[in-house]
Amino acid sequence: MGGLSATRGGPVTVRAAAKINLHLGVGAPREDGFHPLTTVYQAIGLCDDVTARASVAGVEADTLGIEVSASDWVDAAAVPLDAANLVHRAAVALGELHDRPVGGSVLLEKSIPVAGGLAGGSADAAAALVALDRLHDLGTSDDDLLRIAADLGSDVPFSLIGGTALGTGRGELVEPVGDNGTWWWVVVPSDEGLGTPDVYRHFDRMRPDAPAEPPPADALLGALRTGQPLSLARFLHNDLGDAAIDLRPELGDLIVRGESEGALRGMVSGSGPTVVFLCESSDHARDLAGALMRTGSRVVLVANGAVAGAHVVRAHA
Ligand code: ATP
């Protein structure tokens, strides 16, 4: 949140980052069906840009039109353009809050893989909340933005605030945490997405003994404060990792390959199937990325963290 202030009425572009979970502790399902989480999110420099315009030909001012353009590693066809898109739901929620139509034309420029465990849809929703708020000069308070975000999805509040943050509840209760490092990640997306609900269902089958309280993140939080990659590598933790690897055994092979090529540690990102590798430095990350491409990975990206949450990057008169 924050950044430049938009000129009323002109197109507004807001950038929002992918998230990875440095610690993802998952408890047994609650009565409402959600799993209680203790998670540490980090926003990394792999971002979607969301541009909202008042209207273009064919789009009524009070309806929302969504278009997508995507980097070549993103399956643009998998992004819904109708009411199923989280951006659409964000516009409806803002409209309900302010009791007025919130429409326009929204362009999603996606670099975050779809259904990748990187919260790309949540990033777009957070960016759309900020972009549409500025475009229509709604003046929504941060508290209201965070409340709407939590209703849209568990990861959306974090996508608004960015940085490195502790998430509790079902992940929607976020507070920034101390982080003294600049962390370098190699990010390896999969050609095919993995549905988050499928991975949670598989977790339930594999872990009928999951505790009511998710495992705490204290060790990881201590490692973040040291700023030392070796220390962080030791305490990275993902309770969904085994379930994702059981569904997609090749993810386990990829982690072994990356670690044998010198990564400090590899792990599944969130519910997968993206795998991330922690490196010591930007040079180390670039070397590892090269090695992974030489040994069979088609798409390998390098990103650093932590980066900002949803923020305005362009606002035109
Ligand atoms: P998470 O880790 O938060 O579950 P993810 O990164 O695994 O998310 P997303 O990229 O958010 O997955 O997409 C999950 C599904 O959400 C997609 O398969 C798609 O049908 C739907 N979706 C809704 N809005 C969007 C959007 N703006 N971008 C991508 N997918 C979206």
Side-chain angles (χ1 to χ4, degrees):
M1 290 188 273
L4 305 173
S5 66
T7 308
R8 186 192 293 228
V12 183
T13 301
V14 176
R15 180 164 295 165
K19 64 82 191 159
I20 58 177
N21 302 81
L22 308 181
H23 173 98
L24 181 51
V26 181
R30 311 187 304 202
E31 278 190 358
D32 63 4
F34 284 104
H35 291 77
L37 302 183
T38 299
T39 188
V40 178
Y41 296 108
Q42 182 162 94
I44 61 169
L46 172 63
C47 298
D48 286 356
D49 280 357
V50 174
T51 300
R53 291 187 164 72
S55 63
V56 291
V59 177
E60 302 292 331
D62 58 354
T63 62
L64 194 80
I66 298 175
E67 282 179 278
V68 176
S69 80
S71 300
D72 57 9
W73 58 84
V74 174
D75 181 7
V79 179
L81 301 179
D82 57 10
N85 198 303
L86 277 179
V87 165
H88 203 283
R89 291 182 47 211
V92 169
L94 272 181
E96 282 171 2
L97 178 72
H98 294 285
D99 200 19
R100 51 161 288 184
V102 172
S105 164
V106 174
L107 172 65
L108 309 180
E109 292 173 274
K110 289 192 69 75
S111 291
I112 305 175
V114 181
L118 297 167
S122 302
D124 296 350
L129 284 176
V130 176
L132 290 167
D133 176 70
R134 298 295 178 89
L135 179 73
H136 292 281
D137 202 18
L138 300 174
T140 314
S141 69
D142 287 353
D143 279 352
D144 279 337
L145 284 177
L146 285 166
R147 198 174 42 71
I148 294 175
D151 287 343
L152 292 173
S154 302
D155 295 337
V156 184
F158 173 71
S159 298
L160 278 174
I161 73 164
T164 307
L166 180 66
T168 53
R170 53 183 166 79
E172 85 285 17
L173 306 171
V174 280
E175 53 179 296
V177 296
D179 178 355
N180 290 318
T182 298
W183 312 101
W184 285 93
W185 301 96
V186 169
V187 179
V188 187
S190 281
D191 286 338
E192 206 183 324
L194 194 52
T196 304
D198 296 338
V199 178
Y200 272 104
R201 270 194 294 274
H202 204 56
F203 170 85
D204 291 339
R205 283 192 291 270
M206 289 178 73
R207 294 285 311 277
D209 58 335
E213 285 292 315
D218 302 352
L220 189 279
L221 291 172
L224 278 169
R225 287 191 291 270
T226 69
Q228 300 293 327
L230 271 174
S231 173
L232 194 75
R234 186 162 161 225
F235 293 111
L236 294 172
H237 175 87
N238 182 359
D239 276 339
L240 294 182
D242 286 349
I245 291 169
D246 206 54
L247 291 169
R248 291 278 182 84
E250 68 272 22
L251 302 182
D253 301 339
L254 171 58
I255 290 172
V256 169
R257 181 156 60 90
E259 291 182 346
S260 71
E261 292 289 352
L264 297 182
R265 180 90 186 272
M267 69 169 179
V268 173
S269 171
S271 56
T274 304
V275 167
V276 294
F277 294 99
L278 180 62
C279 294
E280 246 166 305
S281 63
S282 59
D283 284 349
H284 181 205
R286 277 176 244 288
D287 288 350
L288 177 67
L292 286 168
M293 291 194 79
R294 281 193 299 280
T295 55
S297 295
R298 193 179 63 85
V299 177
V300 182
L301 309 168
V302 172
N304 70 313
V307 302
H311 60 286
V312 177
V313 289
R314 264 195 315 276
H316 308 276

